[in-house]
Amino acid sequence: MTIPEFQRQKRDKKKLTVVTAYDALFTRIVEQAGIEAILVGDSLGVVVQGQANTLSVTMEEMLYHTKLVAGAVQRALVIGDMPFMSYQASQEDAIRNAGRFLQAGAQAVKLEGGAAVVDRVAAITGIGIPVMGHLGMTPQSVHRYGGYKVQGKESDQARLLLSDAKALEAAGAFAIVLEAIPAELAKTLTEQLTIPTIGIGAGPYCDGQVLVLYDLLGLFDDFVPKFVKPYAHLKTDALQALRRYKEEVEQGKFPTDSESYH
Ligand code: KIV
């Protein structure tokens, strides 16, 4: 999957699917399902590292997981998520760190924000690195919002989101993630932009959808936002398996002869 192919799906009205992955095992499974793009999301701070938010995730940690995903991927587009403070302080930081993601095997990077980061997006795309934007409930700004809250419900906020989206497109972003905004606003943005919109909690009218893999699989249930649909219940399955294993070892039922060497 190349960037032009990814973008063509909007023109062809073929919905795009994106999920997060952080390791080789799940990358291979995601690919077998035919998912178009894998986001190595800084959500790993929450679902892998057990932190309350994504703010403490470092470039080194992101690069490590990007290498695991890129090493296993065959066809899907790999997008590296630029962590907090890897692009905010200066244009130079933004370019250098985006470049490190490509050296780790990603084909594109994602960063959060609108007008405030437009010059970063232009600078990174200017040196040939594709950038995905991210608007709405941007988790790196969680403290400014006072929690994970739906954005763009007021008309002035909605207007700002529209101008941010257009500015990102003009700066060269190849797609934009829209997180936790009203479905009607996401529909307007999707119609007004020529680049694909990828929704998460942004309703059905986006050009594609993204979910955190462990939410989708029902593995992570510490906090399940309204927009998550668990398509499996792997935490329940894992618990059942582990409890059964413990019981069978304790009762002398495992291992049996067929799991033993002679
Ligand atoms: O970090 C992440 O996983 C993300 C997606 C939820 C869009 O940014």
Side-chain angles (χ1 to χ4, degrees), residues 134-178:
H134 187 162
L135 292 173
M137 214 319 290
T138 45
Q140 290 174 13
S141 304
V142 59
H143 295 312
R144 177 154 62 85
Y145 301 136
Y148 295 100
K149 296 182 178 156
V150 179
Q151 301 297 307
K153 287 208 276 193
E154 309 300 329
S155 55
D156 54 340
Q157 266 189 348
R159 268 195 294 275
L160 198 63
L161 276 172
L162 179 58
S163 75
D164 278 347
K166 291 208 158 179
L168 288 175
E169 178 174 69
F174 75 92
I176 302 180
V177 169
L178 301 176

Side-chain angles (χ1 to χ4, degrees), residues 102-240:
L102 262 69
Q103 286 168 337
Q107 285 129 288
V109 295
K110 175 173 84 57
L111 54 80
E112 298 181 8
V117 298
V118 158
D119 65 332
R120 309 289 193 268
V121 174
I124 299 169
T125 57
I127 60 154
I129 300 175
V131 178
M132 176 179 250
H134 187 162
L135 292 173
M137 214 319 290
T138 45
Q140 290 174 13
S141 304
V142 59
H143 295 312
R144 177 154 62 85
Y145 301 136
Y148 295 100
K149 296 182 178 156
V150 179
Q151 301 297 307
K153 287 208 276 193
E154 309 300 329
S155 55
D156 54 340
Q157 266 189 348
R159 268 195 294 275
L160 198 63
L161 276 172
L162 179 58
S163 75
D164 278 347
K166 291 208 158 179
L168 288 175
E169 178 174 69
F174 75 92
I176 302 180
V177 169
L178 301 176
E179 180 161 353
I181 64 169
E184 298 74 18
L185 175 59
K187 181 170 191 276
T188 306
L189 296 184
T190 302
E191 287 165 358
Q192 299 260 333
L193 296 174
T194 59
I195 57 174
T197 58
I198 308 297
I200 174 163
Y205 308 112
C206 296
D207 298 305
Q209 298 291 324
V210 57
L211 279 177
V212 170
L213 183 66
Y214 297 178
D215 289 341
L216 185 162
L217 296 178
L219 261 174
F220 183 81
D221 63 1
D222 294 11
F223 167 67
V224 184
K226 174 185 159 82
F227 57 74
V228 168
K229 178 170 175 184
Y231 283 86
H233 299 282
L234 295 196
K235 180 178 171 185
T236 311
D237 291 351
L239 258 175
Q240 262 173 17

Side-chain angles (χ1 to χ4, degrees), residues 54-125:
T54 60
L55 299 176
S56 61
V57 177
T58 65
M59 268 303 291
E60 268 55 43
E61 290 162 351
M62 290 305 302
L63 294 177
Y64 171 74
H65 287 278
T66 301
K67 278 184 194 155
L68 300 186
V69 170
V73 85
Q74 300 210 325
R75 190 188 152 269
L77 186 71
V78 177
I79 305 161
D81 204 5
M82 298 193 71
F84 182 57
M85 291 317 292
S86 68
Y87 58 94
Q88 285 90 343
S90 73
Q91 213 158 294
E92 197 182 316
D93 274 0
I95 292 175
R96 204 175 298 286
N97 286 322
R100 293 178 75 198
F101 271 102
L102 262 69
Q103 286 168 337
Q107 285 129 288
V109 295
K110 175 173 84 57
L111 54 80
E112 298 181 8
V117 298
V118 158
D119 65 332
R120 309 289 193 268
V121 174
I124 299 169
T125 57

